[in-house]
Amino acid sequence: MNITAMGRFTEFVPQEMVEELTQRAVEAQKNSYSPYSHYPVGAAILMESGKIFTGCNVENALLGATICAERSAIVSAVASGEREIKAVVIVLGEGGAPCGPCRQFINEFNPHAYIYSATSDGVIHNEWRLDELLPNSFGPKDLKHLA
């Protein structure tokens, strides 16, 4: 697998880490349960602590009960006590971007997270900061008045 990040964020997420995350996301994609869409997705999440969590999409006959790979990985991280996302790599067909609900879910744990999108063979096609994908987001900061 030849993984090469585009390099916009190497100052914040080293190339070697992007490569490891991509490999882990490719492996997670193999566990996808996607009998309806036939669109397997894998994700690897790097937390600020340095821990990595992976996830895959898990579809359900009741489509609203389906969970995306990114949210699957984040739920695992939160269940382990983690709260701050640093970077996310998603691996999917042609290397698209996270869906809207996943963008909002990532935003909950870091509106400035670094997002990488790769194909199933590990080629990274895009990289963004979450606030580029979800400008003017609604998040915890908007509910501070309720605390």
Side-chain angles (χ1 to χ4, degrees), residues 113-128:
Y114 301 100
I115 312 295
Y116 301 84
S117 175
T119 56
S120 300
D121 57 0
V123 176
I124 294 176
H125 283 273
N126 288 298
E127 52 189 31
W128 311 268

Side-chain angles (χ1 to χ4, degrees), residues 11-125:
E11 175 182 347
F12 307 104
V13 184
Q15 175 72 25
E16 300 78 26
M17 179 54 70
V18 174
E19 291 173 6
E20 180 178 347
L21 290 168
T22 304
Q23 289 172 344
R24 303 265 303 261
V26 166
E27 288 303 311
Q29 183 188 36
K30 294 175 184 173
N31 294 323
S32 168
Y33 178 75
S34 48
Y36 307 109
S37 71
H38 306 288
Y39 196 74
V41 181
I45 310 285
L46 173 65
M47 305 307 287
E48 285 291 345
S49 68
K51 293 181 182 176
I52 297 172
F53 294 85
T54 61
C56 62
N57 58 324
V58 179
E59 295 180 349
N60 189 284
L62 177 62
L63 295 179
T66 293
I67 187 168
C68 297
E70 301 94 304
R71 287 184 282 151
S72 172
I74 294 168
V75 166
S76 180
V78 170
S80 295
E82 297 289 330
R83 296 289 187 271
E84 179 111 11
I85 294 171
K86 183 169 186 169
V88 177
V89 173
I90 59 170
V91 170
L92 60 166
E94 298 301 316
C99 70
C102 285
R103 294 176 193 195
Q104 183 64 41
F105 217 76
I106 295 165
N107 183 70
E108 184 75 15
F109 302 100
N110 185 356
H112 308 292
Y114 301 100
I115 312 295
Y116 301 84
S117 175
T119 56
S120 300
D121 57 0
V123 176
I124 294 176
H125 283 273

Side-chain angles (χ1 to χ4, degrees), residues 100-112 130-131 133-146:
C102 285
R103 294 176 193 195
Q104 183 64 41
F105 217 76
I106 295 165
N107 183 70
E108 184 75 15
F109 302 100
N110 185 356
H112 308 292
L130 181 64
D131 51 9
L133 293 174
L134 191 65
N136 305 310
S137 66
F138 178 87
K141 67 183 177 355
D142 299 298
L143 299 176
K144 292 293 185 196
H145 69 282
L146 298 177

